[in-house]
PDB file of all heavy atoms in Angstrom:
ATOM      1  N   ASP A   1     -32.033  -9.360   4.148  1.00 97.00           N
ATOM      2  CA  ASP A   1     -30.591  -9.736   4.318  1.00 97.00           C
ATOM      3  C   ASP A   1     -29.617  -8.643   3.839  1.00 97.00           C
ATOM      4  O   ASP A   1     -28.413  -8.856   3.888  1.00 97.00           O
ATOM      5  CB  ASP A   1     -30.284 -11.073   3.610  1.00 97.00           C
ATOM      6  CG  ASP A   1     -30.510 -11.041   2.110  1.00 97.00           C
ATOM      7  OD1 ASP A   1     -30.962  -9.987   1.579  1.00 97.00           O
ATOM      8  OD2 ASP A   1     -30.273 -12.057   1.457  1.00 97.00           O
ATOM      9  N   ASP A   2     -30.119  -7.511   3.405  1.00 98.00           N
ATOM     10  CA  ASP A   2     -29.270  -6.343   3.145  1.00 98.00           C
ATOM     11  C   ASP A   2     -29.074  -5.533   4.418  1.00 98.00           C
ATOM     12  O   ASP A   2     -28.282  -4.568   4.401  1.00 98.00           O
ATOM     13  CB  ASP A   2     -29.937  -5.429   2.089  1.00 98.00           C
ATOM     14  CG  ASP A   2     -29.977  -6.085   0.699  1.00 98.00           C
ATOM     15  OD1 ASP A   2     -28.967  -6.698   0.312  1.00 98.00           O
ATOM     16  OD2 ASP A   2     -31.009  -5.961   0.024  1.00 98.00           O
ATOM     17  N   THR A   3     -29.767  -5.900   5.481  1.00 98.00           N
ATOM     18  CA  THR A   3     -29.585  -5.184   6.767  1.00 98.00           C
ATOM     19  C   THR A   3     -28.165  -5.296   7.278  1.00 98.00           C
ATOM     20  O   THR A   3     -27.634  -6.398   7.395  1.00 98.00           O
ATOM     21  CB  THR A   3     -30.555  -5.748   7.828  1.00 98.00           C
ATOM     22  OG1 THR A   3     -31.914  -5.479   7.362  1.00 98.00           O
ATOM     23  CG2 THR A   3     -30.349  -5.129   9.165  1.00 98.00           C
ATOM     24  N   ALA A   4     -27.566  -4.121   7.515  1.00 98.00           N
ATOM     25  CA  ALA A   4     -26.166  -4.100   7.952  1.00 98.00           C
ATOM     26  C   ALA A   4     -25.795  -2.661   8.193  1.00 98.00           C
ATOM     27  O   ALA A   4     -26.500  -1.711   7.832  1.00 98.00           O
ATOM     28  CB  ALA A   4     -25.250  -4.692   6.854  1.00 98.00           C
ATOM     29  N   VAL A   5     -24.587  -2.494   8.794  1.00 98.00           N
ATOM     30  CA  VAL A   5     -23.948  -1.197   8.803  1.00 98.00           C
ATOM     31  C   VAL A   5     -23.098  -1.084   7.557  1.00 98.00           C
ATOM     32  O   VAL A   5     -22.304  -1.983   7.234  1.00 98.00           O
ATOM     33  CB  VAL A   5     -23.067  -1.002  10.040  1.00 98.00           C
ATOM     34  CG1 VAL A   5     -22.353   0.356   9.981  1.00 98.00           C
ATOM     35  CG2 VAL A   5     -23.877  -1.098  11.309  1.00 98.00           C
ATOM     36  N   TYR A   6     -23.323  -0.018   6.786  1.00 98.00           N
ATOM     37  CA  TYR A   6     -22.612   0.161   5.521  1.00 98.00           C
ATOM     38  C   TYR A   6     -21.477   1.193   5.706  1.00 98.00           C
ATOM     39  O   TYR A   6     -21.699   2.260   6.281  1.00 98.00           O
ATOM     40  CB  TYR A   6     -23.588   0.673   4.450  1.00 98.00           C
ATOM     41  CG  TYR A   6     -24.474  -0.450   3.899  1.00 98.00           C
ATOM     42  CD1 TYR A   6     -25.454  -1.022   4.698  1.00 98.00           C
ATOM     43  CD2 TYR A   6     -24.289  -0.910   2.632  1.00 98.00           C
ATOM     44  CE1 TYR A   6     -26.262  -2.007   4.249  1.00 98.00           C
ATOM     45  CE2 TYR A   6     -25.106  -1.946   2.125  1.00 98.00           C
ATOM     46  CZ  TYR A   6     -26.057  -2.505   2.926  1.00 98.00           C
ATOM     47  OH  TYR A   6     -26.840  -3.497   2.487  1.00 98.00           O
ATOM     48  N   TYR A   7     -20.316   0.817   5.242  1.00 98.00           N
ATOM     49  CA  TYR A   7     -19.127   1.645   5.359  1.00 98.00           C
ATOM     50  C   TYR A   7     -18.575   2.012   3.970  1.00 98.00           C
ATOM     51  O   TYR A   7     -18.560   1.159   3.072  1.00 98.00           O
ATOM     52  CB  TYR A   7     -18.038   0.900   6.123  1.00 98.00           C
ATOM     53  CG  TYR A   7     -18.352   0.506   7.506  1.00 98.00           C
ATOM     54  CD1 TYR A   7     -18.955  -0.714   7.786  1.00 98.00           C
ATOM     55  CD2 TYR A   7     -18.077   1.334   8.598  1.00 98.00           C
ATOM     56  CE1 TYR A   7     -19.269  -1.132   9.082  1.00 98.00           C
ATOM     57  CE2 TYR A   7     -18.365   0.961   9.895  1.00 98.00           C
ATOM     58  CZ  TYR A   7     -18.957  -0.283  10.131  1.00 98.00           C
ATOM     59  OH  TYR A   7     -19.281  -0.635  11.398  1.00 98.00           O
ATOM     60  N   CYS A   8     -18.141   3.258   3.817  1.00 98.00           N
ATOM     61  CA  CYS A   8     -17.392   3.575   2.639  1.00 98.00           C
ATOM     62  C   CYS A   8     -15.887   3.644   2.956  1.00 98.00           C
ATOM     63  O   CYS A   8     -15.500   3.875   4.120  1.00 98.00           O
ATOM     64  CB  CYS A   8     -17.843   4.884   2.014  1.00 98.00           C
ATOM     65  SG  CYS A   8     -17.738   6.359   3.059  1.00 98.00           S
ATOM     66  N   ALA A   9     -15.090   3.370   1.964  1.00 98.00           N
ATOM     67  CA  ALA A   9     -13.675   3.311   2.125  1.00 98.00           C
ATOM     68  C   ALA A   9     -12.951   3.737   0.867  1.00 98.00           C
ATOM     69  O   ALA A   9     -13.542   3.614  -0.242  1.00 98.00           O
ATOM     70  CB  ALA A   9     -13.231   1.891   2.505  1.00 98.00           C
ATOM     71  N   THR A  10     -11.735   4.235   0.978  1.00 97.00           N
ATOM     72  CA  THR A  10     -11.042   4.664  -0.188  1.00 97.00           C
ATOM     73  C   THR A  10      -9.553   4.493  -0.057  1.00 97.00           C
ATOM     74  O   THR A  10      -9.000   4.380   1.055  1.00 97.00           O
ATOM     75  CB  THR A  10     -11.348   6.167  -0.479  1.00 97.00           C
ATOM     76  OG1 THR A  10     -10.842   6.477  -1.772  1.00 97.00           O
ATOM     77  CG2 THR A  10     -10.751   7.073   0.538  1.00 97.00           C
ATOM     78  N   SER A  11      -8.920   4.398  -1.183  1.00 94.00           N
ATOM     79  CA  SER A  11      -7.462   4.346  -1.205  1.00 94.00           C
ATOM     80  C   SER A  11      -6.994   4.626  -2.630  1.00 94.00           C
ATOM     81  O   SER A  11      -7.686   4.329  -3.612  1.00 94.00           O
ATOM     82  CB  SER A  11      -6.933   2.972  -0.773  1.00 94.00           C
ATOM     83  OG  SER A  11      -5.529   2.894  -0.872  1.00 94.00           O
ATOM     84  N   ARG A  12      -5.799   5.183  -2.748  1.00 93.00           N
ATOM     85  CA  ARG A  12      -5.188   5.426  -4.091  1.00 93.00           C
ATOM     86  C   ARG A  12      -4.353   4.247  -4.524  1.00 93.00           C
ATOM     87  O   ARG A  12      -3.825   4.266  -5.666  1.00 93.00           O
ATOM     88  CB  ARG A  12      -4.361   6.700  -4.070  1.00 93.00           C
ATOM     89  CG  ARG A  12      -5.180   7.961  -3.909  1.00 93.00           C
ATOM     90  CD  ARG A  12      -4.359   9.205  -3.980  1.00 93.00           C
ATOM     91  NE  ARG A  12      -5.191  10.399  -3.916  1.00 93.00           N
ATOM     92  CZ  ARG A  12      -4.749  11.612  -3.962  1.00 93.00           C
ATOM     93  NH1 ARG A  12      -3.445  11.843  -4.103  1.00 93.00           N
ATOM     94  NH2 ARG A  12      -5.589  12.647  -3.909  1.00 93.00           N
ATOM     95  N   THR A  13      -4.162   3.288  -3.636  1.00 91.00           N
ATOM     96  CA  THR A  13      -3.231   2.176  -3.964  1.00 91.00           C
ATOM     97  C   THR A  13      -3.924   0.844  -4.156  1.00 91.00           C
ATOM     98  O   THR A  13      -3.287  -0.172  -4.217  1.00 91.00           O
ATOM     99  CB  THR A  13      -2.177   2.037  -2.858  1.00 91.00           C
ATOM    100  OG1 THR A  13      -2.851   1.740  -1.619  1.00 91.00           O
ATOM    101  CG2 THR A  13      -1.366   3.316  -2.718  1.00 91.00           C
ATOM    102  N   VAL A  14      -5.250   0.895  -4.275  1.00 90.00           N
ATOM    103  CA  VAL A  14      -5.971  -0.380  -4.481  1.00 90.00           C
ATOM    104  C   VAL A  14      -5.756  -0.861  -5.895  1.00 90.00           C
ATOM    105  O   VAL A  14      -5.948  -0.112  -6.832  1.00 90.00           O
ATOM    106  CB  VAL A  14      -7.489  -0.179  -4.233  1.00 90.00           C
ATOM    107  CG1 VAL A  14      -8.236  -1.517  -4.423  1.00 90.00           C
ATOM    108  CG2 VAL A  14      -7.759   0.388  -2.886  1.00 90.00           C
ATOM    109  N   ILE A  15      -5.371  -2.146  -6.054  1.00 89.00           N
ATOM    110  CA  ILE A  15      -5.242  -2.680  -7.364  1.00 89.00           C
ATOM    111  C   ILE A  15      -6.514  -3.487  -7.703  1.00 89.00           C
ATOM    112  O   ILE A  15      -7.210  -3.943  -6.778  1.00 89.00           O
ATOM    113  CB  ILE A  15      -3.996  -3.577  -7.511  1.00 89.00           C
ATOM    114  CG1 ILE A  15      -4.036  -4.711  -6.484  1.00 89.00           C
ATOM    115  CG2 ILE A  15      -2.756  -2.752  -7.298  1.00 89.00           C
ATOM    116  CD1 ILE A  15      -2.858  -5.691  -6.622  1.00 89.00           C
ATOM    117  N   LEU A  16      -6.751  -3.662  -8.990  1.00 88.00           N
ATOM    118  CA  LEU A  16      -8.009  -4.258  -9.430  1.00 88.00           C
ATOM    119  C   LEU A  16      -8.288  -5.627  -8.809  1.00 88.00           C
ATOM    120  O   LEU A  16      -9.407  -5.958  -8.465  1.00 88.00           O
ATOM    121  CB  LEU A  16      -8.030  -4.311 -10.965  1.00 88.00           C
ATOM    122  CG  LEU A  16      -9.362  -4.688 -11.608  1.00 88.00           C
ATOM    123  CD1 LEU A  16     -10.426  -3.655 -11.217  1.00 88.00           C
ATOM    124  CD2 LEU A  16      -9.199  -4.724 -13.092  1.00 88.00           C
ATOM    125  N   SER A  17      -7.222  -6.398  -8.649  1.00 91.00           N
ATOM    126  CA  SER A  17      -7.415  -7.771  -8.185  1.00 91.00           C
ATOM    127  C   SER A  17      -7.681  -7.813  -6.691  1.00 91.00           C
ATOM    128  O   SER A  17      -7.998  -8.883  -6.150  1.00 91.00           O
ATOM    129  CB  SER A  17      -6.125  -8.590  -8.453  1.00 91.00           C
ATOM    130  OG  SER A  17      -5.010  -8.009  -7.799  1.00 91.00           O
ATOM    131  N   ASN A  18      -7.612  -6.661  -6.009  1.00 94.00           N
ATOM    132  CA  ASN A  18      -7.740  -6.635  -4.556  1.00 94.00           C
ATOM    133  C   ASN A  18      -8.866  -5.770  -4.078  1.00 94.00           C
ATOM    134  O   ASN A  18      -8.976  -5.427  -2.897  1.00 94.00           O
ATOM    135  CB  ASN A  18      -6.406  -6.150  -3.964  1.00 94.00           C
ATOM    136  CG  ASN A  18      -6.150  -6.771  -2.620  1.00 94.00           C
ATOM    137  OD1 ASN A  18      -6.622  -7.877  -2.308  1.00 94.00           O
ATOM    138  ND2 ASN A  18      -5.452  -6.079  -1.757  1.00 94.00           N
ATOM    139  N   VAL A  19      -9.770  -5.337  -4.969  1.00 95.00           N
ATOM    140  CA  VAL A  19     -10.802  -4.327  -4.587  1.00 95.00           C
ATOM    141  C   VAL A  19     -11.760  -4.826  -3.532  1.00 95.00           C
ATOM    142  O   VAL A  19     -12.363  -4.013  -2.840  1.00 95.00           O
ATOM    143  CB  VAL A  19     -11.536  -3.850  -5.856  1.00 95.00           C
ATOM    144  CG1 VAL A  19     -10.665  -3.092  -6.800  1.00 95.00           C
ATOM    145  CG2 VAL A  19     -12.279  -4.988  -6.505  1.00 95.00           C
ATOM    146  N   ALA A  20     -11.910  -6.123  -3.399  1.00 96.00           N
ATOM    147  CA  ALA A  20     -12.871  -6.667  -2.465  1.00 96.00           C
ATOM    148  C   ALA A  20     -12.294  -6.921  -1.094  1.00 96.00           C
ATOM    149  O   ALA A  20     -12.995  -7.425  -0.195  1.00 96.00           O
ATOM    150  CB  ALA A  20     -13.463  -7.951  -3.009  1.00 96.00           C
ATOM    151  N   SER A  21     -11.044  -6.562  -0.898  1.00 96.00           N
ATOM    152  CA  SER A  21     -10.357  -6.839   0.376  1.00 96.00           C
ATOM    153  C   SER A  21     -10.365  -5.600   1.268  1.00 96.00           C
ATOM    154  O   SER A  21      -9.937  -4.537   0.823  1.00 96.00           O
ATOM    155  CB  SER A  21      -8.947  -7.277   0.101  1.00 96.00           C
ATOM    156  OG  SER A  21      -8.231  -7.384   1.348  1.00 96.00           O
ATOM    157  N   GLN A  22     -10.806  -5.759   2.495  1.00 95.00           N
ATOM    158  CA  GLN A  22     -10.836  -4.624   3.410  1.00 95.00           C
ATOM    159  C   GLN A  22      -9.438  -4.026   3.592  1.00 95.00           C
ATOM    160  O   GLN A  22      -9.293  -2.810   3.732  1.00 95.00           O
ATOM    161  CB  GLN A  22     -11.303  -5.063   4.803  1.00 95.00           C
ATOM    162  CG  GLN A  22     -12.698  -5.573   4.900  1.00 95.00           C
ATOM    163  CD  GLN A  22     -12.959  -5.936   6.353  1.00 95.00           C
ATOM    164  OE1 GLN A  22     -12.855  -5.106   7.255  1.00 95.00           O
ATOM    165  NE2 GLN A  22     -13.362  -7.199   6.567  1.00 95.00           N
ATOM    166  N   THR A  23      -8.436  -4.896   3.645  1.00 95.00           N
ATOM    167  CA  THR A  23      -7.082  -4.420   3.926  1.00 95.00           C
ATOM    168  C   THR A  23      -6.515  -3.565   2.835  1.00 95.00           C
ATOM    169  O   THR A  23      -5.485  -2.926   3.009  1.00 95.00           O
ATOM    170  CB  THR A  23      -6.174  -5.623   4.176  1.00 95.00           C
ATOM    171  OG1 THR A  23      -6.140  -6.464   3.010  1.00 95.00           O
ATOM    172  CG2 THR A  23      -6.628  -6.436   5.363  1.00 95.00           C
ATOM    173  N   ALA A  24      -7.160  -3.501   1.680  1.00 95.00           N
ATOM    174  CA  ALA A  24      -6.669  -2.679   0.566  1.00 95.00           C
ATOM    175  C   ALA A  24      -6.980  -1.201   0.766  1.00 95.00           C
ATOM    176  O   ALA A  24      -6.439  -0.362   0.024  1.00 95.00           O
ATOM    177  CB  ALA A  24      -7.233  -3.179  -0.754  1.00 95.00           C
ATOM    178  N   TYR A  25      -7.832  -0.878   1.711  1.00 97.00           N
ATOM    179  CA  TYR A  25      -8.315   0.492   1.838  1.00 97.00           C
ATOM    180  C   TYR A  25      -7.740   1.157   3.091  1.00 97.00           C
ATOM    181  O   TYR A  25      -7.789   0.590   4.194  1.00 97.00           O
ATOM    182  CB  TYR A  25      -9.820   0.497   1.894  1.00 97.00           C
ATOM    183  CG  TYR A  25     -10.427  -0.020   0.602  1.00 97.00           C
ATOM    184  CD1 TYR A  25     -10.660  -1.343   0.409  1.00 97.00           C
ATOM    185  CD2 TYR A  25     -10.705   0.882  -0.463  1.00 97.00           C
ATOM    186  CE1 TYR A  25     -11.163  -1.837  -0.782  1.00 97.00           C
ATOM    187  CE2 TYR A  25     -11.190   0.407  -1.666  1.00 97.00           C
ATOM    188  CZ  TYR A  25     -11.411  -0.974  -1.808  1.00 97.00           C
ATOM    189  OH  TYR A  25     -11.912  -1.417  -2.988  1.00 97.00           O
ATOM    190  N   ALA A  26      -7.216   2.375   2.897  1.00 94.00           N
ATOM    191  CA  ALA A  26      -6.545   3.056   3.960  1.00 94.00           C
ATOM    192  C   ALA A  26      -7.488   3.928   4.829  1.00 94.00           C
ATOM    193  O   ALA A  26      -7.203   4.197   6.001  1.00 94.00           O
ATOM    194  CB  ALA A  26      -5.425   3.936   3.400  1.00 94.00           C
ATOM    195  N   TYR A  27      -8.574   4.410   4.205  1.00 96.00           N
ATOM    196  CA  TYR A  27      -9.426   5.364   4.852  1.00 96.00           C
ATOM    197  C   TYR A  27     -10.853   4.840   4.871  1.00 96.00           C
ATOM    198  O   TYR A  27     -11.373   4.357   3.873  1.00 96.00           O
ATOM    199  CB  TYR A  27      -9.385   6.709   4.167  1.00 96.00           C
ATOM    200  CG  TYR A  27      -7.984   7.278   4.033  1.00 96.00           C
ATOM    201  CD1 TYR A  27      -7.245   7.100   2.850  1.00 96.00           C
ATOM    202  CD2 TYR A  27      -7.381   7.930   5.140  1.00 96.00           C
ATOM    203  CE1 TYR A  27      -5.960   7.598   2.773  1.00 96.00           C
ATOM    204  CE2 TYR A  27      -6.090   8.404   5.041  1.00 96.00           C
ATOM    205  CZ  TYR A  27      -5.370   8.235   3.841  1.00 96.00           C
ATOM    206  OH  TYR A  27      -4.088   8.720   3.727  1.00 96.00           O
ATOM    207  N   TRP A  28     -11.495   4.987   6.076  1.00 97.00           N
ATOM    208  CA  TRP A  28     -12.838   4.455   6.264  1.00 97.00           C
ATOM    209  C   TRP A  28     -13.732   5.519   6.865  1.00 97.00           C
ATOM    210  O   TRP A  28     -13.301   6.322   7.694  1.00 97.00           O
ATOM    211  CB  TRP A  28     -12.780   3.241   7.213  1.00 97.00           C
ATOM    212  CG  TRP A  28     -12.178   2.059   6.578  1.00 97.00           C
ATOM    213  CD1 TRP A  28     -10.828   1.795   6.448  1.00 97.00           C
ATOM    214  CD2 TRP A  28     -12.865   0.964   5.950  1.00 97.00           C
ATOM    215  NE1 TRP A  28     -10.667   0.604   5.800  1.00 97.00           N
ATOM    216  CE2 TRP A  28     -11.875   0.052   5.507  1.00 97.00           C
ATOM    217  CE3 TRP A  28     -14.215   0.650   5.794  1.00 97.00           C
ATOM    218  CZ2 TRP A  28     -12.218  -1.138   4.847  1.00 97.00           C
ATOM    219  CZ3 TRP A  28     -14.521  -0.530   5.157  1.00 97.00           C
ATOM    220  CH2 TRP A  28     -13.545  -1.402   4.695  1.00 97.00           C
ATOM    221  N   GLY A  29     -15.021   5.480   6.477  1.00 96.00           N
ATOM    222  CA  GLY A  29     -16.015   6.296   7.117  1.00 96.00           C
ATOM    223  C   GLY A  29     -16.542   5.593   8.352  1.00 96.00           C
ATOM    224  O   GLY A  29     -16.167   4.456   8.682  1.00 96.00           O
ATOM    225  N   GLN A  30     -17.453   6.257   9.046  1.00 95.00           N
ATOM    226  CA  GLN A  30     -17.927   5.759  10.321  1.00 95.00           C
ATOM    227  C   GLN A  30     -19.039   4.736  10.236  1.00 95.00           C
ATOM    228  O   GLN A  30     -19.388   4.091  11.229  1.00 95.00           O
ATOM    229  CB  GLN A  30     -18.402   6.933  11.233  1.00 95.00           C
ATOM    230  CG  GLN A  30     -19.826   7.387  10.983  1.00 95.00           C
ATOM    231  CD  GLN A  30     -20.057   8.089   9.671  1.00 95.00           C
ATOM    232  OE1 GLN A  30     -19.145   8.275   8.863  1.00 95.00           O
ATOM    233  NE2 GLN A  30     -21.290   8.505   9.442  1.00 95.00           N
ATOM    234  N   GLY A  31     -19.632   4.599   9.079  1.00 95.00           N
ATOM    235  CA  GLY A  31     -20.722   3.653   8.892  1.00 95.00           C
ATOM    236  C   GLY A  31     -22.083   4.269   9.041  1.00 95.00           C
ATOM    237  O   GLY A  31     -22.296   5.217   9.815  1.00 95.00           O
ATOM    238  N   THR A  32     -23.078   3.693   8.307  1.00 98.00           N
ATOM    239  CA  THR A  32     -24.431   4.143   8.400  1.00 98.00           C
ATOM    240  C   THR A  32     -25.328   2.915   8.418  1.00 98.00           C
ATOM    241  O   THR A  32     -25.113   1.994   7.640  1.00 98.00           O
ATOM    242  CB  THR A  32     -24.795   5.137   7.265  1.00 98.00           C
ATOM    243  OG1 THR A  32     -26.157   5.615   7.436  1.00 98.00           O
ATOM    244  CG2 THR A  32     -24.680   4.467   5.870  1.00 98.00           C
ATOM    245  N   GLN A  33     -26.300   2.867   9.305  1.00 98.00           N
ATOM    246  CA  GLN A  33     -27.127   1.683   9.522  1.00 98.00           C
ATOM    247  C   GLN A  33     -28.225   1.619   8.478  1.00 98.00           C
ATOM    248  O   GLN A  33     -28.975   2.605   8.296  1.00 98.00           O
ATOM    249  CB  GLN A  33     -27.747   1.703  10.918  1.00 98.00           C
ATOM    250  CG  GLN A  33     -28.697   0.549  11.190  1.00 98.00           C
ATOM    251  CD  GLN A  33     -28.012  -0.782  11.298  1.00 98.00           C
ATOM    252  OE1 GLN A  33     -27.001  -0.922  11.990  1.00 98.00           O
ATOM    253  NE2 GLN A  33     -28.563  -1.816  10.623  1.00 98.00           N
ATOM    254  N   VAL A  34     -28.347   0.493   7.836  1.00 98.00           N
ATOM    255  CA  VAL A  34     -29.444   0.190   6.925  1.00 98.00           C
ATOM    256  C   VAL A  34     -30.232  -0.992   7.521  1.00 98.00           C
ATOM    257  O   VAL A  34     -29.654  -2.051   7.734  1.00 98.00           O
ATOM    258  CB  VAL A  34     -28.990  -0.143   5.510  1.00 98.00           C
ATOM    259  CG1 VAL A  34     -30.107  -0.602   4.651  1.00 98.00           C
ATOM    260  CG2 VAL A  34     -28.282   1.098   4.906  1.00 98.00           C
ATOM    261  N   THR A  35     -31.527  -0.797   7.736  1.00 98.00           N
ATOM    262  CA  THR A  35     -32.372  -1.845   8.246  1.00 98.00           C
ATOM    263  C   THR A  35     -33.542  -2.073   7.310  1.00 98.00           C
ATOM    264  O   THR A  35     -34.258  -1.120   7.021  1.00 98.00           O
ATOM    265  CB  THR A  35     -32.904  -1.511   9.647  1.00 98.00           C
ATOM    266  OG1 THR A  35     -31.779  -1.238  10.526  1.00 98.00           O
ATOM    267  CG2 THR A  35     -33.702  -2.661  10.212  1.00 98.00           C
ATOM    268  N   VAL A  36     -33.692  -3.311   6.842  1.00 98.00           N
ATOM    269  CA  VAL A  36     -34.748  -3.639   5.907  1.00 98.00           C
ATOM    270  C   VAL A  36     -35.733  -4.565   6.636  1.00 98.00           C
ATOM    271  O   VAL A  36     -35.308  -5.696   7.011  1.00 98.00           O
ATOM    272  CB  VAL A  36     -34.238  -4.285   4.621  1.00 98.00           C
ATOM    273  CG1 VAL A  36     -35.364  -4.504   3.638  1.00 98.00           C
ATOM    274  CG2 VAL A  36     -33.150  -3.404   4.006  1.00 98.00           C
ATOM    275  N   SER A  37     -36.953  -4.176   6.767  1.00 97.00           N
ATOM    276  CA  SER A  37     -37.940  -4.959   7.470  1.00 97.00           C
ATOM    277  C   SER A  37     -38.741  -5.837   6.427  1.00 97.00           C
ATOM    278  O   SER A  37     -38.942  -5.406   5.306  1.00 97.00           O
ATOM    279  CB  SER A  37     -38.911  -4.059   8.237  1.00 97.00           C
ATOM    280  OG  SER A  37     -39.588  -3.223   7.360  1.00 97.00           O
TER     281      SER A  37
END
């Protein structure tokens, strides 16, 4: 169940209470596939 596309993201304006929200991040990588059999 860890199988997914993993993305990294960053922002200088993320506040602690909002770190789990996608909309808090301005910049995103392209993703890398992780498949667990």
